[in-house]
Structure formats: C-alpha cells, structure tokens
Amino acid sequence: MLIRHLHTLDKMDKKISLDKVRNIGIMAHIDAGKTTMTERVLYYTGRLHRLGEVHDGAATMDWMDQEKERGITITSAATTCFWNDHRVNIIDTPGHVDFTMEVERSLRVLDGAIALFCAVGGVEPQSETVWRQADRYNVPRIAFVNKMDRTGADFYNVIDMIKERFGANPVPVVLPVGAGQDFIGLVDLIQNQAILYTSDDGSTFEYGEIPDNLRDKAEEYRSHLIEEAATQDENLMMKFIDGEEISADELKTALRKATIDGTIIPVLCGSAFKNKGVQRCLDSVIEYLPSPIDIGSVEGFNPDDESQSVTRNPGDSEEFSAIAFKIMTDPYVGKLTFFRVYSGKVETGDFIYNSSSQKKERVGRLMLMHSNKREERKIVTSGEIAAMVGLKYTKTGHTLSSTKSPILFESMDFPDPVISVSVEAQTKKDQENLSVSLAKLAEEDPTFKVHTDHDTMQTIISGMGELHLEIIVDRLKREFNVEANVGAPQVAYRECITVSIEQDTKLVKQSGGRGQYAHVVMNVEPNELGKGYEFINKIVGGAIPKEYIPSIDKGIQDSILNGPLAGYPIDDIKITLFHGSFHDVDSNEMAFRIAGSMAIREAMKKCQPKLLEPIMDLEVVMPDEYLGSVMGDVTSRRGIVKGYEPRDKTQVLNATVPLSQMFGYATDLRSLTQGRAVFTLKFADYQHAPRSIQEKIVEKFQGKVTT
C-alpha cells in the first residue's frame, strides 16, 4: 500500500493532458455520505494509505476540529488523486443548509459532479437545493445511490424521486444485487455481467453471471439504457432498430455525450462505508464526466468594456485566466486563495491582474491542496485547482487574468444573512484581536457579515443560520484565541414603503462665505417584490448638472440603510429623480449628496413604512404518530402548513415559518418526537410582519435609542 501511495505522489508533478483531467465535486444532502465517499475514493486511488471514518472524527477531508466533533462538513476541501492515468481534482462540499454557499462557489468552478443520494431517505430538501445550484451552472453530473447496505434501502424509489423532484432523466448503468443486509453486489448493465463482493467489507469481488432472479429486470433496464443512449447517435439508433448488437464502447461514448449535454443522468449505487461500488463510480467519473476540453471555451467580458465579449480556450498556450472561488486563512502561510485555472498557466513570482478589483497582484507561492495539507508547486497549468499565497485584493468570485490580456468572468451572487447575534470580547486583550479575527473570517466567507451598531456600539455578526454563527464563534476561540460572549440571536428584518409620494427637498446653508445649495424633486414609490433598490434619472434640460446625479444616488443609498421604523435597511424602493435646481457657486457634490439623503429620510416617514420579516421554508420528516403534534407546534409558531405526504413509512411536512419563531427549534422538535424527526430550514423570502410584531420591534428600537 505504501508503494502505491508513493507512486501516486510521483504522478503529482507529471503533466497530464487536459483530456485526462476531471474537476469534480461531491454534492448531497447532509449525512448522505459525501465525506465517506471521498475518503474511499482517496484510498482506492492511492492518495490515502489508511481509511479515516467520519463517525470516528478521523476523516481526512473533515480537518477542522468542529467537523471532527460534529461529524459534518463545514468548509469545502480540495484534493487531487489519480485513477486509470487520469487526474481527478475533487472538492468535498458541505450538506448543511447553513453552508450552502460553500457548495455554490465550488460548483462555479467544477466541470462535473457526483450527486449522492441516501438509498433510504432518497431526495432530501438540501439535495434539491444543490441540484438547482448545479443546474444554474450547467454542471453535468452522475448520481450515486449510497447506503444500499442500510435497512429500508430502495434503489428504484430513489430513481423515481429523481425523476419526480428534478424532472431529470436518470438512467441506471448498474442495478443492486439485494438491499440492506442482503446487498452483495451490482449488475453492470453496460458489460452485462454481475460484480459480486466476496467479503463483507467490499475489499474483494469477482465477476460472474447475473443472478436468475434479476435476469429479467437486468434485461429490461439494459434495453432502456441502450434505447436512451441510441437517441444520442443516429448510427446507434439504426443498429438498435435493426436489432444489431451494440458494443460497450459505443454505449459509453453515447452516454458520455448525453451526460455532458445534461440529457441523461447515469445512476450508480453502492455502499461507500462498506467499500462497495466506489471503484465502479470512479470508472464512471472518467467515462462520463467532462474534461476541460469537453467543456470547451469559456466566455467573459473586457473589464474596460462589458459589452465586448472575450473568449478563452482551455490550454497552456492561451493567456492566463482563473476564478478565485475560496479564501482561507492558514495559520502558517497566511491568506490562501483557492483558484481554478481556465486557460494558460501561472508561475511563482508572476504578476497577474485582478479584473474584478482592477488591481495588479503578485503570486507569492503556489500549492496544491490536500484537505489542509499543502504541496508546493512552481507552476499551475490549465484545468488545475490550486491555491496561491500573496494576493492582497482578491475576494471570492474575483477573476484573475494575465496583465497583457485581461478578462472578466461573471461574478457570483451571495444571499444576505438572515440571522444576527452580538459578540463582545471578554478581556481588553481579546477586544483588540476580535475585530481583526472577525475581518479574516468575513474575508473567508461571503455570507458572513460584521458591522457595528451605531446606537449601542455593539459588534453584530450575521450569518445564514444558528449553526453557521455557532461555528464562527467556536472558530474565534480555537483558531484566533479570542474568548467572546454572545448575545441572543437577532433576526435580520427589513423595512419597506407601501405608498408613493412626490418629495421636494431644498438644502440652503449660508454662513458668511461660500454656502451650500441643492434642490431635488423626486418620486418615491414601492418597487416590485425582490427588485431591491432602483434609481432612475429623468432630469432634462440641465436642471441639475449630470455630474451631481451620482452624488444624489449615493446620498439616497446611504440613508436607506437605516429605515424610519426600527433602523433596518429599506427593501424594494424605486426613486425617480425628475426635477431640481442648482446654484453656480454654492452647489457641489457634497451638497447634493446631503440633499438626496435628506429627501429620502423625509419621504420614508410619509410613505407608510412597514416591517418585513424573513420567512423560512420548513420541511420536517417524522414517523406517522408525531404528525399531529408537529403540525400543532408549527401552527403555534405562526407557521402556515402547505401540505404533507407519506414517504417510506414516514410523513413529510412542508410549511413556511417566520425565522423569529424558529430559534431553539431543534431542541423543541427533539423533545416533541423523542429525537426521531429531522428538519431542514432554508430562506424563502421577506413578507410583511403582523402589526403586533411590528409595534413590539419599533417600541424596542425607540427604547434603545432613548436610553
């Protein structure tokens, strides 16, 4: 085994042609077995010489203390391994909904993905979220139905759920031989033979005849597979119609084309924990998922003129282009920027151009990552995923390119945080470190925000859920040695206006010498739901010089950050500036900025503002007997039950609930169902808060202001 491991390390420095590179991610619902799957892949490819288990806290890819203790993946981890002379770059992504943006930014730079499903639970809520994320970036994928050794495993039910929930076209390329304790092997539909495991841990297997009880089913599914593959190739279709034999290679070629097109999802199965089906899955990654060559050229824009498109082809001879998809603070080397190279190459010491921040950067060091371990590299080439040290101005989603020929790729959008808590350092020494540490964590995570409340001077941290903030506070203590007291969770409310008005505001200040003059007339109205802030300039005839218009816009934007009710940001507001006046001497940019700010503050009070509260989609999976109790509890939290449906001896309840009512829900649900229910919570939208809630929050805010 050690010899195999050393052989793998030798390969790391060898140049692999681009058609033999696979950049893949493993994505799934929490607890579907992603990290276990990654561990097995690394073992079989010789990257690990000892298996680590998630439940023992020994998984290679779960390197953070918090990950080991909780048995969950929190941060996406990257590694490289080799299989059948192909380089496979893998990103293991989190499954918990609080860390869904880790998945999003990983998918942005991947060429393909393994979608993992639990054979018992099937398509869970978070599976749907990550599937939609993969759809957004057109990521080709194969499906792997894991945990076939578990009681209640049903491969065919998962196939039906993939069809029903995603509208996808799942086509099995293997069938399970048995299920639960009786899961003993696979039927390979392409080779038309059985793979039977001869040991319980899956370490040995043999090829054989398809069992008699599966022969008819195997024939049915193989015919379906050939038919689906034949639709991709005219020659194959003719052979199929004529009843001619179609070879395994022909089938694989057609399936590969369909997988890359997204018309077919090849489905495999096995048990990662028992080492069954992993090698066949690795083969399928090579056979069906695309290389950077298959993905082809990538489109971007000219940073100086976004109407002008720029194309980059994969290959080392092209100009350098890459996307930074993750920032990580390393205690030994400092700030690590993870990036995916789309074209060209980059060397240690090179100057590169950050097209997003429009800054030049110097590459200090380059390294390939294996979880949290590093391997130094002098050069990183097209198609690789690596990390660099030394970048000062680069954030998640930024485009990196050559200084000679810049390109700007489409940036990533990150949702606003929905929950906040106050943090306070326990000692004066900690106070000094707190802001620095929080700034580093915010740099790493675009969904984590830090700000100071101007009224109370408290430090407020905001994130995507209770677990997200809990992990942040824990990291403060462990990684940065900062002890902090945490306040009660606060909901990130918003405010909106409900009526339209015309606002006429004049700023006139005269104090001896040069004064200040600015006059603006604007329409202030509610915008469409979800449209956010919109500023329209309809000034004609030079009533206000055009150089002052951006200052008015900026002044308005400054003020809508603090709404009139309780100081929360104003959402969905439309401003149309149509008239005003100026003074030749006393008008300037600052005067118009102040006038814009004054005008919107006056207008917001008159526009009948209302409070908006974040609403969450809730899904609870529980045994039948608890449905009534859970439903009653949801209703008591101002939740609206949308429906429920049976799923494999359980009930699945879907509802929408205000976030403010969901703190501590995990504990309450556990006691309500004796720990037998699981739930998923994800942000849905903002809705008008009831009058009683609004009054309570406004009173609290006014009390805070007067104290």
Side-chain angles (χ1 to χ4, degrees), residues 224-233 236 250-251 254-255 258 264:
H224 176 63
L225 170 66
I226 293 170
E227 190 178 341
E228 288 288 344
T231 58
Q232 304 298 311
D233 188 301
L236 235 58
E250 286 176 315
L251 260 180
L255 270 175
I264 285 178

Side-chain angles (χ1 to χ4, degrees), residues 35-36 39 52-63 68 371:
T35 302
T36 302
E39 294 291 310
E53 303 296 356
V54 175
H55 56 264
D56 294 336
T60 306
M61 301 302 277
D62 284 351
W63 57 271
K68 290 174 181 175
S371 186

Side-chain angles (χ1 to χ4, degrees), residues 276-563:
K276 295 174 180 176
V278 178
Q279 295 106 313
R280 189 67 194 83
C281 185
L282 272 167
D283 289 340
S284 296
V285 166
I286 305 303
E287 288 161 359
Y288 308 129
L289 290 180
S291 70
I293 299 283
D294 297 313
I295 296 295
S297 61
V298 284
E299 293 247 328
F301 316 95
N302 182 336
D304 300 322
D305 179 8
E306 289 195 16
S307 64
Q308 189 185 333
S309 65
V310 182
T311 302
R312 286 279 192 276
N313 295 308
D316 296 353
S317 58
E318 290 273 313
E319 291 289 345
F320 171 68
S321 69
I323 284 181
F325 67 94
K326 179 179 168 71
I327 307 292
M328 190 175 101
T329 304
D330 187 287
Y332 302 104
V333 298
K335 181 177 153 185
L336 276 172
T337 304
F338 286 71
F339 65 104
R340 152 75 196 269
V341 184
Y342 284 96
S343 64
K345 56 190 178 186
V346 63
E347 294 185 44
T348 304
D350 278 358
F351 281 95
I352 57 174
Y353 184 65
N354 183 328
S355 310
S356 307
S357 64
Q358 298 186 332
K359 299 273 191 184
K360 248 187 182 182
E361 298 263 39
R362 186 176 181 275
V363 179
R365 290 162 70 188
L366 291 168
M367 47 194 72
L368 280 187
M369 301 300 292
H370 176 52
S371 186
N372 65 329
K373 297 180 178 66
R374 301 168 299 277
E375 290 168 20
E376 293 273 347
R377 289 283 293 272
K378 287 275 186 291
I379 185 167
V380 174
T381 56
S382 184
E384 289 194 287
I385 291 173
M388 58 175 88
V389 180
L391 304 192
K392 294 177 183 173
Y393 309 107
T394 302
K395 294 182 176 172
T396 299
H398 281 191
T399 303
L400 304 171
S401 60
S402 71
T403 50
K404 283 190 289 184
S405 178
I407 185 172
L408 181 63
F409 294 124
E410 192 179 342
S411 61
M412 299 182 212
D413 289 325
F414 299 105
D416 289 330
V418 293
I419 183 171
S420 304
V421 295
S422 61
V423 288
E424 189 178 90
Q426 289 186 1
T427 66
K428 194 165 182 185
K429 185 189 168 196
D430 285 339
Q431 184 61 50
E432 291 165 12
N433 295 331
L434 181 65
S435 54
V436 176
S437 307
L438 288 173
K440 284 181 179 175
L441 289 168
E443 196 172 33
E444 282 186 25
D445 185 350
T447 59
F448 171 64
K449 299 279 191 286
V450 184
H451 75 276
T452 302
D453 187 302
H454 294 298
D455 297 313
T456 62
M457 297 314 289
Q458 282 180 308
T459 301
I460 308 294
I461 58 172
S462 310
M464 301 308 294
E466 285 183 276
L467 179 62
H468 187 191
L469 294 183
E470 202 179 301
I471 297 292
I472 290 282
V473 172
D474 199 29
R475 286 185 67 189
L476 274 176
K477 184 179 174 180
R478 295 191 198 218
E479 292 174 35
F480 299 97
N481 297 316
V482 176
E483 295 283 350
N485 298 321
V486 181
Q490 301 167 4
V491 179
Y493 290 99
R494 294 276 188 275
E495 295 181 27
C496 71
I497 57 170
T498 55
V499 298
S500 305
I501 66 149
E502 184 180 298
Q503 180 65 37
D504 188 330
T505 298
K506 200 175 276 188
L507 169 73
V508 185
K509 280 190 178 177
Q510 196 66 48
S511 52
R514 188 173 172 181
Q516 282 191 320
Y517 180 92
H519 176 211
V520 295
V521 187
M522 59 179 78
N523 277 326
V524 180
E525 57 189 313
N527 210 349
E528 289 174 49
L529 204 64
K531 273 285 190 76
Y533 170 75
E534 195 176 350
F535 178 82
I536 299 166
N537 174 25
K538 284 195 175 175
I539 294 288
V540 290
I544 300 174
K546 62 178 182 225
E547 63 264 28
Y548 297 148
I549 305 296
S551 299
I552 300 169
D553 183 13
K554 190 74 180 73
I556 294 168
Q557 288 191 54
D558 290 343
S559 289
I560 63 170
L561 292 173
N562 297 291

